[in-house]
C-alpha cells in the first residue's frame, strides 16, 4: 500500500461502564497502579450509580461514529469506522483483532482527546502498541492522528457553544473554561518543542482562541475531576473553588465551558451539571453550561480534515503557534521526551 492508502478509521476513546455491575471493574481498570484509595473509588462509583451505572461516553462515541460514517459516505470514501476503548468494552485489543480478521491492513486512529500530555496523547500511543502486540504479526498498521486543540473548526464549535450559553443569561457573565486536572508533576512534562507544561499550555491557548472567537474579553481557566492521593498537588483552581472566589469578587453569573472534553460524558455532567451547578445555586449565582463539540457538524468535518491530511496531503489547519503534534505509527512517540 502507498502512504496515502488506508482501509479504515479507528475511533479510540477512554471507555465507560454500561451498567451497575461494570462500574467497579471499570474504575479499577482506570486507576490500576495509580495508588487511588479505595474510598475514592467508592465515591466516584456513586457518581456512576446515580445515572444507573451507565456512562454516556460509549453512546456519545457511537453517535459521533454514525455522523462520521455518514460524512465519509457522502464524500464517497470507502472507509469503515471501528470503535475501541482503553478501559472498557469494546476494548481496543478486541477491536484490533477484529480489524485484522476483516482484512484491515492500515488504519488511521482518531483519539477523542484534543491534547498533548500523558493521558491525552502518550497513553494512546501505549494503547496502540499494546493492542498490536496482543494481536501479533497480523495486526494492522495504526497511524494516530495529530492533536487538534487549535483546529479552527474545534475552536468555532466551542465558541458558538459559549455564545449559545450566553444567550441563556441576562446581562454580563464571566466565562470559565474547564479541563481535566492532572498532577502538577505530570504537567511538567515537555511537548514536542521541548518546553514543559505542554498540556496546560495547550488548554490555556485553546481557551484564548475560543474566547477571542466568541468575543469574550474576560475569562478564566480552571480544572476539574481530580483524583489520586490528596497529598499530591494537582492543577488548580478547581472549578467549584473558583466559583466561590468569583462570588467573593461580586460576580453573579457565569458561563462554564468544558473546553477540555469533546463530549458530555459523565465527568462533565457530574462535575459541572451537578456539583458546579449546586455550588452556583448555593452562592446565588446564575450558571449556564456550554455544550461540548460532540456531534457538531464542524467537529465531524474536522475529523475528516485530519484524515484528509493523510489521504490527500491536505495542509494542516491551525490557529496557534504551538506545535500540534501527536501523529505516530504503531504507537511510537512523535518526539522524545514529548508528553
Amino acid at each position: 500500500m502507498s502512504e496515502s492508502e488506508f482501509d479504515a478509521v479507528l475511533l479510540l476513546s477512554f471507555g465507560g461502564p454500561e451498567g451497575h455491575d461494570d462500574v467497579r471493574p471499570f474504575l479499577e481498570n482506570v486507576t490500576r497502579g495509580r495508588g487511588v484509595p479505595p474510598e475514592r473509588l467508592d465515591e466516584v462509583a456513586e457518581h456512576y450509580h446515580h445515572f444507573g451505572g451507565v456512562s454516556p461516553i460509549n453512546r456519545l462515541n457511537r453517535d459521533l461514529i454514525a455522523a462520521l460514517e455518514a460524512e465519509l459516505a457522502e464524500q464517497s470514501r470507502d472507509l469503515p469506522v471501528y470503535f475501541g476503548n482503553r478501559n472498557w468494552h469494546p476494548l481496543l485489543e478486541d477491536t484490533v483483532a477484529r480489524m485484522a480478521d476483516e482484512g484491515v491492513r492500515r488504519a488511521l486512529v482518531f483519539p477523542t482527546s484534543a491534547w498533548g500530555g500523558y493521558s491525552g496523547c502518550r497513553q494512546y500511543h501505549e494503547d496502540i502498541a499494546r493492542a498490536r502486540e496482543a494481536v501479533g504479526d497480523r495486526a494492522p498498521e495504526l497511524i494516530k492522528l495529530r492533536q487538534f486543540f487549535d483546529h479552527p473548526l474545534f475552536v468555532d464549535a466551542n465558541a458558538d457553544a459559549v455564545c449559545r450559553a450566553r444567550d441563556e443569561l441576562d446581562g454580563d457573565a464571566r466565562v470559565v473554561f474547564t479541563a481535566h486536572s492532572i498532577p502538577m508533576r505530570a504537567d511538567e512534562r515537555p511537548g514536542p518543542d521541548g518546553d514543559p507544561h505542554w498540556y496546560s499550555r495547550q488548554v490555556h491557548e485553546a481557551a484564548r482562541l475560543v474566547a477571542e472567537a466568541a468575543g469574550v474579553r474576560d475569562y478564566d481557566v480552571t480544572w476539574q475531576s481530580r483524583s489520586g492521593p490528596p497529598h499530591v498537588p494537582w492543577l488548580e483552581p478547581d472549578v467549584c473553588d473558583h466559583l466561590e472566589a468569583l462570588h467573593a469578587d461580586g460576580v453573579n453569573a457565569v458561563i462554564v465551558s468544558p473546553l477540555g472534553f469533546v463530549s458530555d460524558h459523565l465527568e462533565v455532567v457530574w462535575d459541572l451539571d451537578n456539583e458546579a451547578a449546586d455550588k452556583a445555586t448555593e452562592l446565588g449565582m446564575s450558571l449556564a453550561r456550554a455544550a461540548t463539540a460532540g456531534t457538531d457538524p464542524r467537529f465531524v468535518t474536522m475529523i475528516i480534515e485530519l484524515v484528509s491530511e493523510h489521504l490527500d496531503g491536505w495542509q494542516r489547519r491551525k490557529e496557534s503557534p504551538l506545535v500540534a503534534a501527536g501523529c505516530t505509527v504503531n504507537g511510537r512517540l512523535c518526539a522524545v521526551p514529548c508528553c
Side-chain angles (χ1 to χ4, degrees), residues 315-329:
Q315 183 175 357
R316 294 183 173 197
R317 289 215 290 157
K318 58 194 302 298
E319 293 192 351
S320 167
L322 295 182
V323 178
C327 273
T328 68
V329 178

Side-chain angles (χ1 to χ4, degrees), residues 247-324:
H247 178 258
D249 286 342
V251 174
N252 57 22
V254 293
I255 296 164
V256 178
S257 168
L259 177 62
F261 307 88
V262 301
S263 67
D264 287 9
H265 56 67
L266 191 126
E267 286 177 308
V268 173
V269 298
W270 180 262
D271 293 351
L272 301 183
D273 298 347
N274 284 269
E275 291 186 342
D278 288 349
K279 175 60 68 174
T281 299
E282 173 192 324
L283 297 170
M285 302 174 74
S286 299
L287 184 148
R289 204 264 287 171
T292 50
T295 53
D296 185 298
R298 286 164 294 193
F299 188 56
V300 178
T301 300
M302 183 208 75
I303 300 172
I304 298 289
E305 287 197 13
L306 297 179
V307 168
S308 295
E309 289 175 5
H310 291 264
L311 265 61
D312 307 316
W314 281 26
Q315 183 175 357
R316 294 183 173 197
R317 289 215 290 157
K318 58 194 302 298
E319 293 192 351
S320 167
L322 295 182
V323 178

Side-chain angles (χ1 to χ4, degrees), residues 38 44 75 77 86 91 100 108 111 117 129 183 197 210 230 262 267 291 295 302 316 326:
V44 175
Q75 296 187 15
R77 292 192 183 274
R86 173 185 299 161
L91 291 169
L108 291 165
H197 308 294
V210 171
V262 301
E267 286 177 308
T295 53
M302 183 208 75
R316 294 183 173 197

